[in-house]
Amino acid sequence: MKKILIIDDEVNVALLLSKFLTRNGFDVQTASNGTTGMECLKNGSFNLVLCDFRLEDTDGREMLKNIKQQYPQTGVIIITGYSDIKMAVELIKMGAYDYITKPLYPDEILNTVNKAIETQYALMEDLHDNGPIISKSKEQRKNTPNNEFVFGNSRASKEIIRQIDLVAPTNYSVIIIGDSGTGKEAVAKSIHMNSPRHNNPFVAMDCGSLTKELAASEFFGHEKGSFTGALYTKIGHFEMANGGTLFLDEVGNLSYDIQAALLRTVQERKVKRIGSTKEIDLDVRIIVATNENLQDSIQKGRFREDLYHRFNEFSIHMPPLRDRGSDIMLLADHFLVIANQELSRSVSSFSPEVVECFMSYRWPGNIRELKNIVRRATLLTEGDEIMMKALPLEISNRMAAFDYGVTNNGSAISQSENIEIKQNRHDLKNAALEAEYETILKVLKEVNFNKTKAAEMLKIDRKTLYNKMKAINLK
């Protein structure tokens, strides 16, 4: 029987928790303060500790520190009031499994307790059978064409890898923060693949493309006939990701009422399809990504603070590519291998001029821009080396500050002449595609790759923009 220790100086709360968990099959012991709690741990082995953040003789921070130092294999859940949520999140980063807030709800308590114990068992089995998950991920750190996340050599990349190793084996929700194109989804997939959930689904959802009307159906699903146009039963993304990981990109774009429904689902770990009375139990890890400052959105009333704290059990900040100088050519080589496979080409390298150009360019579109430029250059290259003429204008003219280019014999040519030379290499159809590519890329950069704003500026709808980006391999 799984053993739980409850440490709470409110006798009534401890008694109610004890009776409830005992009825649900747990062996429960209680302690009224931190000192007594540590004595209980010394005299017996416990799978889990439920510890109130505010105790008469200590606090949750000190208790967590002592428990993790002396009994590292024992899970800890913090019981806290709403005003202490920020501190509870900090305690999670220190090693607590999760927190539950007062007033306490039976379903939330039972679900959180069960998941905490399951996670502890999964980690122990992995340690016993295979060694730590972290060790496995380090052994497999080789950049292959199938890799979503490319392991770089820069200090920033090494810090990201360290954080992935740290959080992947846990069940924490994660916020990945960074500019568009920095590789947030790749990091989310890496966390999933190095977690105990790696054999279960990874489901990605672009919150930026959701309308208010469709969001509930996409998240929670619906039953046939539940509303006008519901011609069939639809499984929502939460249900699709059950047992695995749900990745929510551009989460800051969700409407406030959808955030409220999302909060309830995250807290209760249950989902109900629109038009159904049946609740479905959820076991989903949530990873979200944003290029916005959610703290500012909270201050402006656009994002719920309680939902933010539910997501922010752990955070990873993605640096822009310009701050990862030593990774640029490593990434470029990786994308070249992928492009060769996609296009059945055998381009082997970049010319010294291209390497110098790549290293001096600011990369406003980050890794996504680099990937697209390498793919495009591979398509345009006829030999085995990518030359400057295969690069888009904003890249190839970078070293001449957009005023002059330099020919192979060293003579200067104007930018207009350079454009004419490039366009003479294409027929009319390709020239039109080239112009469309340049326009779309320019607008995306101006709006920091916000697709909604880009579509408005281009005077097309978002779906058309997606289709055009797909057509020119601009993903």
Side-chain angles (χ1 to χ4, degrees):
M1 185 178 289
K2 302 176 183 67
K3 296 185 66 176
I4 296 176
L5 174 63
I6 298 169
I7 307 174
D8 197 319
D9 53 14
E10 293 186 42
V11 177
N12 291 336
V13 172
L15 182 60
L16 287 172
L17 275 175
S18 177
K19 288 182 176 180
F20 172 72
L21 292 171
T22 300
R23 286 199 305 269
N24 283 277
F26 297 100
D27 181 4
V28 183
Q29 189 171 340
T30 63
S32 60
N33 55 54
T35 303
T36 307
M38 293 307 297
E39 284 294 322
C40 293
L41 286 165
K42 181 179 178 181
N43 296 325
S45 177
F46 291 88
N47 300 98
L48 186 66
V49 175
L50 272 67
C51 182
D52 190 29
F53 177 67
R54 297 183 182 276
L55 298 169
E56 62 181 20
D57 60 342
T58 185
D59 60 26
R61 179 190 292 273
E62 194 65 27
M63 286 298 297
L64 177 64
K65 180 180 177 182
N66 291 336
I67 292 170
K68 285 301 175 183
Q69 283 179 349
Q70 299 179 44
Y71 312 100
Q73 295 171 1
T74 300
V76 180
I77 293 174
I78 300 296
I79 303 171
T80 179
Y82 182 78
S83 62
D84 294 321
I85 286 179
K86 290 183 179 180
M87 181 58 71
V89 172
E90 290 301 315
L91 292 174
I92 286 174
K93 294 179 180 180
M94 291 171 57
Y97 172 79
D98 203 346
Y99 66 89
I100 50 180
T101 57
K102 298 176 181 177
L104 303 175
Y105 296 98
D107 287 347
E108 181 185 2
I109 294 167
L110 187 59
N111 182 71
T112 305
V113 166
N114 282 330
K115 297 309 175 191
I117 290 177
E118 286 174 13
T119 300
Q120 293 300 114
Y121 269 94
L123 290 173
M124 289 304 298
E125 287 174 4
D126 194 84
L127 283 165
H128 182 266
D129 296 336
N130 304 308
I133 293 175
I134 291 175
S135 296
K136 285 197 293 183
S137 68
K138 287 181 178 177
E139 289 172 5
Q140 295 171 355
R141 264 188 212 143
K142 295 179 181 178
N143 290 322
T144 67
N146 294 326
N147 276 19
E148 289 286 347
F149 180 72
V150 179
F151 299 104
N153 296 318
S154 69
R155 181 180 299 177
S157 288
K158 290 176 180 177
E159 176 59 20
I160 293 169
I161 293 167
R162 186 189 72 82
Q163 292 179 351
I164 291 173
D165 285 343
L166 184 66
V167 77
T170 73
N171 205 36
Y172 293 179
S173 296
V174 181
I175 292 183
I176 304 174
I177 305 162
D179 294 343
S180 292
T182 49
K184 297 187 289 295
E185 184 169 350
V187 168
K189 287 183 179 178
S190 184
I191 291 171
H192 172 75
M193 292 307 299
N194 287 285
S195 76
R197 299 173 177 268
H198 65 276
N199 289 323
N200 295 319
F202 177 90
V203 178
M205 188 173 182
D206 181 6
C207 300
S209 64
L210 291 177
T211 63
K212 181 179 178 181
E213 293 74 20
L214 289 177
S217 177
E218 291 296 318
F219 274 118
F220 313 123
H222 63 252
E223 296 292 342
K224 180 180 178 180
S226 57
F227 54 86
T228 302
L231 303 178
Y232 54 87
T233 296
K234 176 183 176 64
I235 296 176
H237 282 69
F238 269 104
E239 199 172 341
M240 289 167 56
N242 215 354
T245 301
L246 178 60
F247 173 64
L248 306 179
D249 197 9
E250 296 188 41
V251 71
N253 289 342
L254 291 174
S255 64
Y256 208 79
D257 52 349
I258 289 297
Q259 292 175 36
L262 195 58
L263 175 65
R264 186 179 179 207
T265 300
V266 172
Q267 285 179 332
E268 297 181 0
R269 299 290 170 172
K270 293 180 185 293
V271 68
K272 187 163 57 177
R273 295 178 193 165
I274 298 172
S276 174
T277 58
K278 179 184 177 182
E279 287 190 326
I280 300 168
D281 291 330
L282 288 179
D283 174 19
V284 177
R285 181 185 199 166
I286 299 176
I287 301 177
V288 305
T290 180
N291 58 9
E292 301 179 25
N293 186 331
L294 291 183
Q295 294 281 15
D296 286 347
S297 297
I298 290 170
Q299 295 297 323
K300 295 174 182 177
R302 296 201 306 262
F303 202 86
R304 292 182 63 107
E305 184 174 12
D306 44 7
L307 183 60
Y308 171 78
H309 289 304
R310 277 293 176 186
F311 288 155
N312 193 33
E313 294 177 341
F314 193 89
S315 60
I316 296 177
H317 292 260
M318 300 296 296
L321 184 57
R322 62 180 174 271
D323 294 341
R324 298 173 56 184
S326 59
D327 294 338
I328 291 174
M329 291 315 301
L330 187 150
L331 287 160
D333 288 338
H334 178 74
F335 296 142
L336 179 59
V337 172
I338 295 174
N340 278 326
Q341 290 183 350
E342 291 177 347
L343 302 171
S344 299
R345 295 294 181 93
S346 56
V347 181
S348 60
S349 61
F350 301 88
S351 72
E353 293 80 12
V354 170
V355 172
E356 185 176 355
C357 187
F358 277 9
M359 295 301 293
S360 63
Y361 184 58
R362 294 289 291 170
W363 298 109
N366 294 297
I367 297 173
R368 184 187 292 122
E369 182 183 11
L370 173 61
K371 180 179 181 179
N372 291 329
I373 285 172
V374 170
R375 293 175 75 195
R376 177 181 178 278
T378 304
L379 178 63
L380 294 174
T381 297
E382 297 176 355
D384 59 0
E385 186 177 61
I386 292 178
M387 309 294 290
M388 290 290 290
K389 63 182 180 180
L391 303 184
L393 289 177
E394 71 270 16
I395 305 292
S396 60
N397 286 332
R398 171 65 178 82
M399 297 178 70
F402 268 85
D403 291 324
Y404 292 95
V406 178
T407 63
N408 289 335
N409 61 13
S411 60
I413 60 173
S414 70
Q415 182 178 347
S416 60
E417 291 171 332
N418 199 1
I419 293 172
E420 183 178 356
I421 290 171
K422 286 180 69 66
Q423 290 186 342
N424 283 342
R425 294 191 288 109
H426 305 289
D427 58 29
L428 188 59
K429 181 179 179 181
N430 284 339
L433 290 174
E434 174 83 11
E436 186 168 275
Y437 173 93
E438 302 291 350
T439 302
I440 292 174
L441 185 60
K442 179 182 178 181
V443 171
L444 284 168
K445 289 176 182 177
E446 287 180 4
V447 297
N448 196 25
F449 281 80
N450 184 310
K451 300 179 189 68
T452 300
K453 292 181 181 178
E456 291 174 357
M457 289 182 65
L458 292 165
K459 299 188 185 305
I460 57 177
D461 59 43
R462 191 181 174 95
K463 183 177 180 180
T464 302
L465 176 60
Y466 271 110
N467 290 336
K468 287 184 176 293
M469 290 174 65
K470 184 177 180 181
I472 58 178
N473 288 326
L474 188 62
K475 299 179 180 178

